[in-house]
């Protein structure tokens, strides 16, 4: 590919597989990848340590994105609580937009990439799956990483975040009008990645 900017927006509900698909898509096209959920998780983690949400968002630095507990359900919940605050979202906007327009192409995954951060993205995908399937995958991921957690707790986290993310006034979770939806409930990872790559190739044609 040339050095022109090309933005791929990948949105969807909690634990839909956005991260895995985004990494594979970025590797396929030779693009850089930004997991925007990690920005909110880093802010959420700082808030659990006692910082004000807006201050945490304004002071976000690379080392805050490397905390080992960022993937925990407690941090995820804190992330979705700070994510309803318009000023927090505004503080994270410029970084995401400049990443999206970098030369050589970029893949961003999150909740509002196709709707708010990059409404002009060249390709938009909305990845979804049933709540039960998403919770099952996240449960296996967390248990694989050594977490002591039940399936019911993971399902409750997923459902609670989805509701908060969908119902918020600012940048709610929803597919962009021009997004291609991929339901991965019955797809394995190879099939989901292949479907995403096909949808992006269609937009490039
Ligand atoms: O990995 P998972 O899908 O469970 O969550 P995530 O993508 O890491 O996002 C964590 C939380 O950050 C979400 O529940 C959202 O509340 C928030 N978020 C957001 O509001 N906007 C984004 N672009 C990305 C994440």
């Amino acid at each position: 590919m040339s050095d022109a900017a090309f933005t791929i927006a990948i949105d969807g509900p909690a634990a839909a597989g956005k991260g895995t698909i985004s990494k594979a898509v970025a590797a396929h096209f030779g693009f850089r990848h930004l997991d925007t959920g990690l920005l909110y998780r880093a802010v959420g983690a700082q808030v659990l340590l006692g910082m004000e949400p807006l201050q945490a968002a304004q002071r976000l630095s690379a080392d805050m994105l490397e905390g080992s507990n960022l993937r925990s359900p407690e941090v995820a919940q804190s992330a979705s609580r700070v994510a309803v605050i318009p000023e927090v979202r505004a503080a994270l906007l410029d970084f995401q937009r400049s990443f999206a327009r970098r030369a050589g192409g970029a893949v961003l995954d999150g909740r509002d990439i196709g709707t708010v951060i990059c409404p002009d993205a060249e390709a938009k995908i909305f990845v979804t799956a049933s709540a039960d399937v998403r919770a099952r995958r996240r449960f296996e991921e967390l248990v694989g990483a050594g977490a002591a957690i039940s399936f019911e707790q993971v399902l409750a986290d997923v459902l609670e975040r989805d509701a908060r993310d969908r119902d918020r006034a600012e940048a709610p979770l929803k597919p962009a009008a021009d997004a291609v939806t991929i339901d991965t409930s019955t797809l394995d990872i190879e099939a989901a990645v292949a479907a995403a790559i096909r949808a992006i190739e269609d937009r490039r044609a």
Side-chain angles (χ1 to χ4, degrees), residues 10-19 35-41 70-71 75-84 89 92 96 109-113 117 134 138 141 157-158 160-162 164-166 168 170-173:
I10 302 191
D11 291 304
K18 301 178 297 290
D35 169 2
T36 67
L38 207 53
L39 307 178
Y40 291 90
R41 284 175 182 261
L70 291 184
R71 298 284 167 202
V75 170
Q77 281 291 338
S78 183
S80 91
R81 285 192 297 267
V82 301
V84 306
R89 307 198 69 85
L92 301 176
Q96 296 176 80
D109 76 277
R111 301 291 185 288
D112 62 339
I113 308 304
I117 305 294
R134 290 186 284 119
R138 180 54 52 88
E141 199 182 304
D157 167 64
V158 160
E160 192 180 338
R161 282 197 291 132
D162 282 357
R164 199 184 287 122
D165 292 349
R166 279 200 185 102
R168 68 185 177 215
E170 187 84 8
L173 165 69

